[in-house]
Amino acid sequence: MAIDIYKINPEFRDIMPKEIIDLEENATWAQNQKKPRGIKEMPDTKEILEEHSLCAGCPEAAALRYVLAALPKPEETIIVNSTGCTSLMFPHIALHTVHSLFGNQNAVATGIKRVLDWRFPDIEKDVVVLAGDGATVDIGLDYTLQSFFRQENITTICFDNEVYANTGGQESGATPKGQVFKMAPTGKKFEKVKMWELATTAGCHYTMNMTASAPKAVAKAVREAILVAREIGPTFLNIYTPCILEIGLSANEGLGEMKDQDKDRFASYKFVSPEAEEFLKKCKAEGKL
Amino acid sequence: MANQGPAYYSPYPAAIYEGVITPPEGKALLLEEVVDEEIAMREIAKQMLTKENATIFPGPQVLYGYNDEAKKKATLIKEMAEVLNANMIPMYDYRPKYPKIDAEIEINPNHPNLTIWHNNIKAAIFIGVHCHYANVALKMVRCETDCYTIAICGLSGHEDAMATLRDQHSSELEKFIKIAREVKAELKL
């Protein structure tokens, strides 16, 4: 794909701010790196501008860096996102992204993936959906599940913060029962929708529920999910990225919250279909993992 | 009975509500007057050469080398800045910048007046800015500053700029640079 859209014309390099130059030189695509990039290279790479639009200490910013660092072929990847906190970050990364209408992300990703496969039959193109729980579990549930039913070759990642955060704190389907938010003052009346179980039932070949507390675990899951989606069928990752503002934590408490939830609502759940398991063994033998 | 149209909800006076519209093909706009392109180019060059802290604001369509035309335009804009003795401040990101922008090194379409105030810019060229953001920025600048704004646009032009050149591609930029050199010589600068 044309990464030229992120290459600054040499005539203007002297007037561009340093963080934009840094993003061009050390961003997500692999050919800038001396060796294949991954989670270990994060200290030397720059997935997102420092002055991104998320709140200070927001775990989503860290989780996005883990996801981007783990993409097997960033130059051949398109991320489809939807309305929500996640959509605020995408103008500040150097990777092709498409913003869809709220909830439509899996339908849009389906179209993009099919056209890419038709247009570039000899090149592996990865389409990754990255949206919040409102877009995935509530407003876009139909589109999400239908893409799983149709066995589309896309990876869906839900950054689950259990709330509509950037609109002021309304409950979502992913909110746990009893949770009170500013705009849900009487507390959630029903249980959290276990989207990862729905995804497995709907036909996903690789499903995980986890938090973003462990970068290596997130990176491994992302890489495996994308490889499986490329060859076998739909995959789904539900990653807890708490909204520290809405649950009353300070900027340095996000990681602790995720670690706590590793043993609770986001206790590890992993489903890998037999075909996907076989394929991942092959990938490991070939050194792709 | 209230009978006001949506114009009255606009917080800024827009040129179009005063009957100013973009120029027809082959023409240019100077304030509210449709003129020949060459006349506008001469006036633009004069304004840029004589006003305080003249600045060019290149937008993403020329900042990034995504095709040959963008690369060629970048070279020409650099040359244009040298001929006009103008500074350059990039408009590289359209998102509102919070808590604040660094007005010395960047301009943002959501609060362009801050950069113009901070740098005391009295004449400015917008080039390579996507039309919808140019429209937003030019309205604010027109209302809140005394900066003489110039839109060098690849499409239909912008009526909110004091001077508008439309359908400007690399060949037209070459023509403008040639005229700017002539004006500079006439002004003995």
Side-chain angles (χ1 to χ4, degrees), chain B residues 75-132:
Chain B
T75 310
L76 290 167
I77 291 165
K78 185 86 173 176
E79 190 183 343
M80 189 197 296
E82 282 163 15
V83 173
L84 297 172
N85 305 326
N87 301 319
M88 281 203 284
I89 296 180
M91 186 186 280
Y92 62 91
D93 187 358
Y94 292 148
R95 288 267 161 162
K97 289 291 278 293
Y98 297 112
K100 64 172 187 177
I101 63 160
D102 185 347
E104 206 162 306
I105 60 162
E106 66 176 306
I107 180 166
N108 186 283
N110 306 285
H111 27 65
N113 47 327
L114 300 181
T115 298
I116 288 171
W117 289 341
H118 180 86
N119 297 293
N120 192 31
I121 295 167
K122 300 296 182 189
I125 291 176
F126 287 73
I127 186 164
V129 179
H130 289 84
C131 286
H132 47 300

Tab-separated table of all heavy atoms in Angstrom, chain B residues 75-132:
chain	number	residue	atom	x	y	z
B	75	THR	N	8.392	21.547	-4.478
B	75	THR	CA	9.574	22.262	-4.965
B	75	THR	C	9.209	23.702	-5.342
B	75	THR	O	9.922	24.647	-5.010
B	75	THR	CB	10.141	21.527	-6.202
B	75	THR	OG1	10.265	20.152	-5.873
B	75	THR	CG2	11.490	22.077	-6.606
B	76	LEU	N	8.066	23.839	-6.024
B	76	LEU	CA	7.642	25.170	-6.466
B	76	LEU	C	7.269	26.070	-5.290
B	76	LEU	O	7.543	27.272	-5.302
B	76	LEU	CB	6.459	25.042	-7.437
B	76	LEU	CG	6.823	24.435	-8.805
B	76	LEU	CD1	5.571	24.064	-9.575
B	76	LEU	CD2	7.679	25.413	-9.606
B	77	ILE	N	6.647	25.481	-4.270
B	77	ILE	CA	6.259	26.293	-3.103
B	77	ILE	C	7.502	26.794	-2.362
B	77	ILE	O	7.558	27.931	-1.899
B	77	ILE	CB	5.317	25.490	-2.174
B	77	ILE	CG1	3.969	25.283	-2.877
B	77	ILE	CG2	5.104	26.198	-0.843
B	77	ILE	CD1	3.092	24.235	-2.240
B	78	LYS	N	8.494	25.932	-2.301
B	78	LYS	CA	9.758	26.344	-1.675
B	78	LYS	C	10.359	27.531	-2.447
B	78	LYS	O	10.798	28.518	-1.857
B	78	LYS	CB	10.722	25.149	-1.681
B	78	LYS	CG	12.019	25.383	-0.964
B	78	LYS	CD	11.883	25.082	0.499
B	78	LYS	CE	13.227	25.162	1.190
B	78	LYS	NZ	13.106	24.975	2.623
B	79	GLU	N	10.315	27.415	-3.771
B	79	GLU	CA	10.843	28.484	-4.619
B	79	GLU	C	9.999	29.754	-4.440
B	79	GLU	O	10.531	30.864	-4.331
B	79	GLU	CB	10.803	28.021	-6.084
B	79	GLU	CG	11.534	28.948	-7.019
B	79	GLU	CD	11.416	28.493	-8.479
B	79	GLU	OE1	11.065	27.320	-8.723
B	79	GLU	OE2	11.657	29.330	-9.359
B	80	MET	N	8.690	29.558	-4.366
B	80	MET	CA	7.767	30.684	-4.171
B	80	MET	C	8.085	31.426	-2.876
B	80	MET	O	8.122	32.667	-2.828
B	80	MET	CB	6.326	30.140	-4.115
B	80	MET	CG	5.246	31.199	-4.137
B	80	MET	SD	3.661	30.538	-3.575
B	80	MET	CE	3.307	29.333	-4.796
B	81	ALA	N	8.354	30.671	-1.812
B	81	ALA	CA	8.664	31.281	-0.514
B	81	ALA	C	9.941	32.115	-0.602
B	81	ALA	O	10.031	33.201	-0.014
B	81	ALA	CB	8.810	30.185	0.554
B	82	GLU	N	10.901	31.603	-1.366
B	82	GLU	CA	12.160	32.357	-1.518
B	82	GLU	C	11.935	33.658	-2.300
B	82	GLU	O	12.403	34.715	-1.922
B	82	GLU	CB	13.197	31.483	-2.226
B	82	GLU	CG	13.823	30.463	-1.272
B	82	GLU	CD	14.529	29.322	-1.982
B	82	GLU	OE1	14.794	29.438	-3.198
B	82	GLU	OE2	14.788	28.310	-1.323
B	83	VAL	N	11.152	33.551	-3.379
B	83	VAL	CA	10.881	34.745	-4.205
B	83	VAL	C	10.110	35.784	-3.392
B	83	VAL	O	10.383	36.985	-3.475
B	83	VAL	CB	10.097	34.346	-5.474
B	83	VAL	CG1	9.664	35.585	-6.255
B	83	VAL	CG2	10.934	33.437	-6.358
B	84	LEU	N	9.140	35.325	-2.623
B	84	LEU	CA	8.278	36.251	-1.868
B	84	LEU	C	8.881	36.647	-0.515
B	84	LEU	O	8.230	37.354	0.265
B	84	LEU	CB	6.894	35.617	-1.636
B	84	LEU	CG	6.067	35.312	-2.894
B	84	LEU	CD1	4.817	34.526	-2.523
B	84	LEU	CD2	5.682	36.593	-3.616
B	85	ASN	N	10.052	36.152	-0.201
B	85	ASN	CA	10.684	36.378	1.116
B	85	ASN	C	9.722	35.979	2.246
B	85	ASN	O	9.608	36.672	3.261
B	85	ASN	CB	11.082	37.842	1.310
B	85	ASN	CG	11.975	38.336	0.210
B	85	ASN	OD1	12.788	37.569	-0.303
B	85	ASN	ND2	11.824	39.593	-0.182
B	86	ALA	N	9.001	34.908	2.029
B	86	ALA	CA	7.943	34.521	2.984
B	86	ALA	C	8.415	33.410	3.918
B	86	ALA	O	9.266	32.590	3.557
B	86	ALA	CB	6.713	34.057	2.220
B	87	ASN	N	7.855	33.411	5.108
B	87	ASN	CA	8.075	32.296	6.036
B	87	ASN	C	7.147	31.156	5.640
B	87	ASN	O	6.190	31.359	4.885
B	87	ASN	CB	7.730	32.711	7.469
B	87	ASN	CG	8.566	33.870	7.922
B	87	ASN	OD1	9.754	33.930	7.655
B	87	ASN	ND2	7.923	34.826	8.597
B	88	MET	N	7.390	29.977	6.197
B	88	MET	CA	6.459	28.855	5.988
B	88	MET	C	6.104	28.234	7.332
B	88	MET	O	6.983	27.955	8.145
B	88	MET	CB	7.071	27.810	5.070
B	88	MET	CG	6.993	28.204	3.608
B	88	MET	SD	7.076	26.778	2.514
B	88	MET	CE	8.805	26.412	2.601
B	89	ILE	N	4.817	28.051	7.547
B	89	ILE	CA	4.339	27.374	8.759
B	89	ILE	C	3.370	26.285	8.298
B	89	ILE	O	2.403	26.584	7.602
B	89	ILE	CB	3.637	28.363	9.717
B	89	ILE	CG1	4.637	29.409	10.217
B	89	ILE	CG2	2.996	27.624	10.882
B	89	ILE	CD1	4.056	30.431	11.177
B	90	PRO	N	3.627	25.018	8.645
B	90	PRO	CA	2.801	23.953	8.085
B	90	PRO	C	1.454	23.769	8.792
B	90	PRO	O	1.341	23.989	9.998
B	90	PRO	CB	3.667	22.705	8.286
B	90	PRO	CG	4.470	23.006	9.501
B	90	PRO	CD	4.709	24.494	9.502
B	91	MET	N	0.459	23.394	7.999
B	91	MET	CA	-0.816	22.935	8.567
B	91	MET	C	-0.872	21.432	8.307
B	91	MET	O	-1.412	20.969	7.321
B	91	MET	CB	-1.994	23.646	7.888
B	91	MET	CG	-3.334	23.319	8.538
B	91	MET	SD	-4.744	23.998	7.644
B	91	MET	CE	-4.752	25.684	8.194
B	92	TYR	N	-0.204	20.667	9.177
B	92	TYR	CA	-0.014	19.242	8.908
B	92	TYR	C	-1.082	18.370	9.522
B	92	TYR	O	-1.225	17.207	9.186
B	92	TYR	CB	1.375	18.786	9.392
B	92	TYR	CG	1.574	18.950	10.884
B	92	TYR	CD1	1.259	17.927	11.759
B	92	TYR	CD2	2.050	20.146	11.388
B	92	TYR	CE1	1.413	18.095	13.117
B	92	TYR	CE2	2.207	20.320	12.746
B	92	TYR	CZ	1.888	19.287	13.602
B	92	TYR	OH	2.025	19.449	14.942
B	93	ASP	N	-1.842	18.901	10.454
B	93	ASP	CA	-2.801	18.073	11.185
B	93	ASP	C	-4.072	18.887	11.384
B	93	ASP	O	-4.024	20.004	11.881
B	93	ASP	CB	-2.188	17.704	12.546
B	93	ASP	CG	-3.032	16.714	13.303
B	93	ASP	OD1	-4.108	16.336	12.812
B	93	ASP	OD2	-2.620	16.314	14.408
B	94	TYR	N	-5.203	18.321	10.978
B	94	TYR	CA	-6.456	19.071	11.060
B	94	TYR	C	-7.157	18.935	12.413
B	94	TYR	O	-8.108	19.631	12.697
B	94	TYR	CB	-7.425	18.590	9.975
B	94	TYR	CG	-6.986	18.923	8.567
B	94	TYR	CD1	-7.302	18.077	7.502
B	94	TYR	CD2	-6.286	20.086	8.292
B	94	TYR	CE1	-6.920	18.389	6.199
B	94	TYR	CE2	-5.898	20.403	6.994
B	94	TYR	CZ	-6.222	19.543	5.955
B	94	TYR	OH	-5.854	19.860	4.687
B	95	ARG	N	-6.699	17.972	13.210
B	95	ARG	CA	-7.381	17.766	14.501
B	95	ARG	C	-7.145	18.940	15.441
B	95	ARG	O	-6.042	19.485	15.468
B	95	ARG	CB	-6.826	16.503	15.171
B	95	ARG	CG	-7.273	15.263	14.495
B	95	ARG	CD	-8.503	14.759	15.161
B	95	ARG	NE	-9.213	13.850	14.308
B	95	ARG	CZ	-10.129	13.005	14.748
B	95	ARG	NH1	-10.411	12.958	16.008
B	95	ARG	NH2	-10.756	12.226	13.923
B	96	PRO	N	-8.134	19.331	16.228
B	96	PRO	CA	-7.873	20.374	17.229
B	96	PRO	C	-6.736	19.935	18.138
B	96	PRO	O	-6.680	18.772	18.534
B	96	PRO	CB	-9.186	20.446	18.017
B	96	PRO	CG	-10.198	19.795	17.163
B	96	PRO	CD	-9.493	18.794	16.317
B	97	LYS	N	-5.829	20.841	18.435
B	97	LYS	CA	-4.708	20.488	19.293
B	97	LYS	C	-4.973	21.026	20.695
B	97	LYS	O	-5.139	22.235	20.879
B	97	LYS	CB	-3.411	21.090	18.749
B	97	LYS	CG	-2.910	20.432	17.478
B	97	LYS	CD	-2.409	19.013	17.672
B	97	LYS	CE	-1.005	18.905	18.178
B	97	LYS	NZ	0.029	19.360	17.271
B	98	TYR	N	-4.992	20.148	21.671
B	98	TYR	CA	-5.172	20.559	23.050
B	98	TYR	C	-4.016	20.043	23.872
B	98	TYR	O	-3.472	19.010	23.541
B	98	TYR	CB	-6.496	20.005	23.601
B	98	TYR	CG	-7.695	20.542	22.887
B	98	TYR	CD1	-8.481	19.727	22.095
B	98	TYR	CD2	-8.022	21.889	22.987
B	98	TYR	CE1	-9.573	20.234	21.423
B	98	TYR	CE2	-9.111	22.397	22.318
B	98	TYR	CZ	-9.891	21.567	21.541
B	98	TYR	OH	-10.965	22.078	20.875
B	99	PRO	N	-3.612	20.654	24.954
B	99	PRO	CA	-4.225	21.865	25.509
B	99	PRO	C	-3.948	23.109	24.697
B	99	PRO	O	-4.707	24.063	24.753
B	99	PRO	CB	-3.602	21.967	26.897
B	99	PRO	CG	-2.314	21.233	26.787
B	99	PRO	CD	-2.510	20.154	25.783
B	100	LYS	N	-2.839	23.129	23.928
B	100	LYS	CA	-2.644	24.297	23.078
B	100	LYS	C	-1.656	23.955	21.976
B	100	LYS	O	-0.826	23.059	22.125
B	100	LYS	CB	-2.151	25.496	23.890
B	100	LYS	CG	-0.786	25.312	24.522
B	100	LYS	CD	-0.311	26.606	25.129
B	100	LYS	CE	1.120	26.481	25.614
B	100	LYS	NZ	1.645	27.718	26.135
B	101	ILE	N	-1.748	24.712	20.882
B	101	ILE	CA	-0.795	24.471	19.804
B	101	ILE	C	0.444	25.311	20.051
B	101	ILE	O	0.412	26.280	20.814
B	101	ILE	CB	-1.381	24.823	18.420
B	101	ILE	CG1	-1.725	26.305	18.316
B	101	ILE	CG2	-2.555	23.970	18.089
B	101	ILE	CD1	-1.834	26.771	16.898
B	102	ASP	N	1.511	24.939	19.381
B	102	ASP	CA	2.707	25.767	19.389
B	102	ASP	C	2.566	26.715	18.199
B	102	ASP	O	2.898	26.370	17.060
B	102	ASP	CB	3.956	24.885	19.260
B	102	ASP	CG	5.236	25.703	19.380
B	102	ASP	OD1	5.143	26.936	19.315
B	102	ASP	OD2	6.303	25.097	19.532
B	103	ALA	N	2.042	27.894	18.466
B	103	ALA	CA	1.669	28.811	17.378
B	103	ALA	C	2.877	29.284	16.579
B	103	ALA	O	2.729	29.790	15.476
B	103	ALA	CB	0.931	30.006	17.958
B	104	GLU	N	4.048	29.090	17.130
B	104	GLU	CA	5.229	29.535	16.409
B	104	GLU	C	5.576	28.608	15.254
B	104	GLU	O	6.085	29.043	14.227
B	104	GLU	CB	6.413	29.596	17.384
B	104	GLU	CG	7.466	30.595	16.966
B	104	GLU	CD	8.357	30.947	18.128
B	104	GLU	OE1	7.820	31.356	19.176
B	104	GLU	OE2	9.577	30.801	17.998
B	105	ILE	N	5.251	27.321	15.419
B	105	ILE	CA	5.695	26.373	14.386
B	105	ILE	C	4.563	25.680	13.643
B	105	ILE	O	4.801	24.909	12.722
B	105	ILE	CB	6.632	25.297	14.976
B	105	ILE	CG1	5.920	24.492	16.071
B	105	ILE	CG2	7.915	25.904	15.490
B	105	ILE	CD1	6.611	23.177	16.368
B	106	GLU	N	3.308	25.889	14.021
B	106	GLU	CA	2.227	25.212	13.314
B	106	GLU	C	0.967	26.067	13.289
B	106	GLU	O	0.796	26.979	14.098
B	106	GLU	CB	1.918	23.857	13.946
B	106	GLU	CG	1.351	23.953	15.339
B	106	GLU	CD	0.951	22.608	15.919
B	106	GLU	OE1	0.179	21.882	15.269
B	106	GLU	OE2	1.402	22.293	17.028
B	107	ILE	N	0.107	25.736	12.321
B	107	ILE	CA	-1.210	26.370	12.253
B	107	ILE	C	-2.241	25.256	12.178
B	107	ILE	O	-1.997	24.219	11.560
B	107	ILE	CB	-1.319	27.336	11.051
B	107	ILE	CG1	-2.721	27.978	11.005
B	107	ILE	CG2	-0.982	26.677	9.733
B	107	ILE	CD1	-2.832	29.182	10.094
B	108	ASN	N	-3.347	25.460	12.847
B	108	ASN	CA	-4.392	24.449	12.892
B	108	ASN	C	-5.696	25.082	12.400
B	108	ASN	O	-6.020	26.205	12.793
B	108	ASN	CB	-4.543	23.957	14.345
B	108	ASN	CG	-5.495	22.799	14.454
B	108	ASN	OD1	-6.698	22.987	14.408
B	108	ASN	ND2	-4.973	21.612	14.584
B	109	PRO	N	-6.431	24.395	11.534
B	109	PRO	CA	-7.623	25.022	10.944
B	109	PRO	C	-8.727	25.339	11.951
B	109	PRO	O	-9.611	26.143	11.648
B	109	PRO	CB	-8.115	23.972	9.936
B	109	PRO	CG	-7.553	22.688	10.402
B	109	PRO	CD	-6.242	23.021	11.040
B	110	ASN	N	-8.662	24.725	13.115
B	110	ASN	CA	-9.728	24.969	14.097
B	110	ASN	C	-9.497	26.227	14.927
B	110	ASN	O	-10.408	26.704	15.596
B	110	ASN	CB	-9.863	23.755	15.018
B	110	ASN	CG	-10.070	22.502	14.224
B	110	ASN	OD1	-11.150	22.277	13.705
B	110	ASN	ND2	-9.024	21.705	14.086
B	111	HIS	N	-8.277	26.725	14.920
B	111	HIS	CA	-7.989	28.000	15.578
B	111	HIS	C	-6.801	28.664	14.880
B	111	HIS	O	-5.757	28.901	15.499
B	111	HIS	CB	-7.735	27.841	17.086
B	111	HIS	CG	-7.199	26.494	17.470
B	111	HIS	ND1	-5.973	26.055	17.053
B	111	HIS	CD2	-7.729	25.504	18.209
B	111	HIS	CE1	-5.774	24.841	17.538
B	111	HIS	NE2	-6.821	24.477	18.226
B	112	PRO	N	-6.984	28.965	13.601
B	112	PRO	CA	-5.850	29.503	12.814
B	112	PRO	C	-5.450	30.899	13.251
B	112	PRO	O	-4.296	31.300	13.083
B	112	PRO	CB	-6.408	29.525	11.386
B	112	PRO	CG	-7.883	29.643	11.555
B	112	PRO	CD	-8.209	28.874	12.799
B	113	ASN	N	-6.415	31.621	13.833
B	113	ASN	CA	-6.141	32.997	14.265
B	113	ASN	C	-5.009	33.047	15.304
B	113	ASN	O	-4.268	34.025	15.367
B	113	ASN	CB	-7.408	33.642	14.815
B	113	ASN	CG	-8.142	32.735	15.779
B	113	ASN	OD1	-8.141	31.518	15.632
B	113	ASN	ND2	-8.761	33.312	16.784
B	114	LEU	N	-4.850	31.977	16.103
B	114	LEU	CA	-3.813	31.983	17.142
B	114	LEU	C	-2.428	32.120	16.518
B	114	LEU	O	-1.579	32.870	17.000
B	114	LEU	CB	-3.881	30.692	17.980
B	114	LEU	CG	-5.192	30.434	18.728
B	114	LEU	CD1	-5.099	29.151	19.528
B	114	LEU	CD2	-5.543	31.602	19.632
B	115	THR	N	-2.193	31.364	15.446
B	115	THR	CA	-0.886	31.417	14.776
B	115	THR	C	-0.678	32.785	14.140
B	115	THR	O	0.428	33.336	14.173
B	115	THR	CB	-0.813	30.292	13.720
B	115	THR	OG1	-0.933	29.052	14.409
B	115	THR	CG2	0.486	30.330	12.940
B	116	ILE	N	-1.748	33.321	13.570
B	116	ILE	CA	-1.624	34.618	12.889
B	116	ILE	C	-1.385	35.735	13.912
B	116	ILE	O	-0.529	36.596	13.718
B	116	ILE	CB	-2.873	34.859	12.013
B	116	ILE	CG1	-2.781	33.914	10.808
B	116	ILE	CG2	-2.969	36.311	11.566
B	116	ILE	CD1	-3.996	33.833	9.952
B	117	TRP	N	-2.096	35.681	15.008
B	117	TRP	CA	-1.853	36.673	16.077
B	117	TRP	C	-0.427	36.571	16.612
B	117	TRP	O	0.282	37.551	16.732
B	117	TRP	CB	-2.805	36.444	17.256
B	117	TRP	CG	-4.242	36.787	16.993
B	117	TRP	CD1	-4.735	37.585	16.011
B	117	TRP	CD2	-5.365	36.339	17.752
B	117	TRP	NE1	-6.103	37.653	16.095
B	117	TRP	CE2	-6.521	36.897	17.164
B	117	TRP	CE3	-5.525	35.515	18.862
B	117	TRP	CZ2	-7.808	36.673	17.659
B	117	TRP	CZ3	-6.801	35.288	19.354
B	117	TRP	CH2	-7.931	35.858	18.755
B	118	HIS	N	-0.058	35.332	16.968
B	118	HIS	CA	1.230	35.106	17.629
B	118	HIS	C	2.394	35.610	16.773
B	118	HIS	O	3.341	36.205	17.284
B	118	HIS	CB	1.416	33.619	17.937
B	118	HIS	CG	2.710	33.297	18.612
B	118	HIS	ND1	2.863	33.371	19.978
B	118	HIS	CD2	3.925	32.957	18.114
B	118	HIS	CE1	4.108	33.072	20.286
B	118	HIS	NE2	4.772	32.815	19.178
B	119	ASN	N	2.310	35.352	15.466
B	119	ASN	CA	3.426	35.704	14.581
B	119	ASN	C	3.219	37.043	13.879
B	119	ASN	O	4.016	37.406	13.009
B	119	ASN	CB	3.621	34.600	13.542
B	119	ASN	CG	3.999	33.276	14.191
B	119	ASN	OD1	5.070	33.146	14.763
B	119	ASN	ND2	3.096	32.318	14.151
B	120	ASN	N	2.119	37.725	14.227
B	120	ASN	CA	1.822	39.041	13.630
B	120	ASN	C	1.873	38.975	12.103
B	120	ASN	O	2.535	39.786	11.453
B	120	ASN	CB	2.796	40.093	14.172
B	120	ASN	CG	2.353	41.499	13.808
B	120	ASN	OD1	1.155	41.760	13.688
B	120	ASN	ND2	3.300	42.399	13.610
B	121	ILE	N	1.166	38.011	11.562
B	121	ILE	CA	1.197	37.777	10.113
B	121	ILE	C	0.164	38.682	9.437
B	121	ILE	O	-1.018	38.665	9.796
B	121	ILE	CB	0.897	36.290	9.806
B	121	ILE	CG1	2.012	35.422	10.382
B	121	ILE	CG2	0.735	36.049	8.313
B	121	ILE	CD1	1.704	33.939	10.418
B	122	LYS	N	0.600	39.453	8.463
B	122	LYS	CA	-0.312	40.397	7.794
B	122	LYS	C	-0.690	39.946	6.389
B	122	LYS	O	-1.547	40.568	5.749
B	122	LYS	CB	0.331	41.797	7.738
B	122	LYS	CG	0.640	42.379	9.113
B	122	LYS	CD	-0.624	42.601	9.920
B	122	LYS	CE	-0.291	43.238	11.265
B	122	LYS	NZ	-1.462	43.276	12.163
B	123	ALA	N	-0.037	38.935	5.880
B	123	ALA	CA	-0.435	38.360	4.585
B	123	ALA	C	-0.073	36.878	4.598
B	123	ALA	O	0.993	36.501	5.106
B	123	ALA	CB	0.273	39.066	3.431
B	124	ALA	N	-0.978	36.047	4.087
B	124	ALA	CA	-0.721	34.606	4.157
B	124	ALA	C	-1.325	33.887	2.959
B	124	ALA	O	-2.407	34.240	2.491
B	124	ALA	CB	-1.317	34.030	5.441
B	125	ILE	N	-0.604	32.890	2.481
B	125	ILE	CA	-1.108	32.036	1.394
B	125	ILE	C	-1.466	30.678	1.984
B	125	ILE	O	-0.650	30.058	2.667
B	125	ILE	CB	-0.038	31.852	0.297
B	125	ILE	CG1	0.191	33.169	-0.450
B	125	ILE	CG2	-0.441	30.745	-0.671
B	125	ILE	CD1	1.304	33.111	-1.494
B	126	PHE	N	-2.694	30.235	1.732
B	126	PHE	CA	-3.102	28.863	2.062
B	126	PHE	C	-2.968	28.045	0.786
B	126	PHE	O	-3.579	28.366	-0.227
B	126	PHE	CB	-4.565	28.824	2.537
B	126	PHE	CG	-4.766	29.389	3.910
B	126	PHE	CD1	-4.697	30.750	4.145
B	126	PHE	CD2	-5.057	28.543	4.985
B	126	PHE	CE1	-4.890	31.276	5.423
B	126	PHE	CE2	-5.249	29.060	6.266
B	126	PHE	CZ	-5.163	30.418	6.486
B	127	ILE	N	-2.195	26.971	0.862
B	127	ILE	CA	-2.025	26.119	-0.330
B	127	ILE	C	-1.902	24.655	0.099
B	127	ILE	O	-1.253	24.354	1.093
B	127	ILE	CB	-0.798	26.570	-1.166
B	127	ILE	CG1	-0.719	25.771	-2.473
B	127	ILE	CG2	0.510	26.487	-0.396
B	127	ILE	CD1	0.197	26.369	-3.518
B	128	GLY	N	-2.592	23.784	-0.622
B	128	GLY	CA	-2.538	22.366	-0.288
B	128	GLY	C	-3.370	21.994	0.930
B	128	GLY	O	-3.207	20.924	1.505
B	129	VAL	N	-4.273	22.888	1.297
B	129	VAL	CA	-5.182	22.597	2.417
B	129	VAL	C	-6.485	22.063	1.822
B	129	VAL	O	-6.998	22.639	0.856
B	129	VAL	CB	-5.465	23.885	3.229
B	129	VAL	CG1	-6.419	23.592	4.380
B	129	VAL	CG2	-4.165	24.490	3.744
B	130	HIS	N	-6.998	20.986	2.359
B	130	HIS	CA	-8.255	20.445	1.838
B	130	HIS	C	-9.361	21.501	1.967
B	130	HIS	O	-9.429	22.214	2.979
B	130	HIS	CB	-8.648	19.172	2.593
B	130	HIS	CG	-7.755	18.004	2.279
B	130	HIS	ND1	-6.559	17.801	2.921
B	130	HIS	CD2	-7.871	17.008	1.372
B	130	HIS	CE1	-5.977	16.705	2.432
B	130	HIS	NE2	-6.753	16.214	1.495
B	131	CYS	N	-10.220	21.566	0.944
B	131	CYS	CA	-11.159	22.688	0.823
B	131	CYS	C	-12.014	22.911	2.069
B	131	CYS	O	-12.225	24.050	2.494
B	131	CYS	CB	-12.065	22.480	-0.378
B	131	CYS	SG	-11.188	22.783	-1.919
B	132	HIS	N	-12.537	21.855	2.655
B	132	HIS	CA	-13.450	22.053	3.789
B	132	HIS	C	-12.732	22.681	4.983
B	132	HIS	O	-13.311	23.491	5.706
B	132	HIS	CB	-14.163	20.756	4.172
B	132	HIS	CG	-13.272	19.555	4.272
B	132	HIS	ND1	-12.534	19.081	3.228
B	132	HIS	CD2	-13.011	18.735	5.302
B	132	HIS	CE1	-11.861	18.013	3.599
B	132	HIS	NE2	-12.123	17.785	4.860
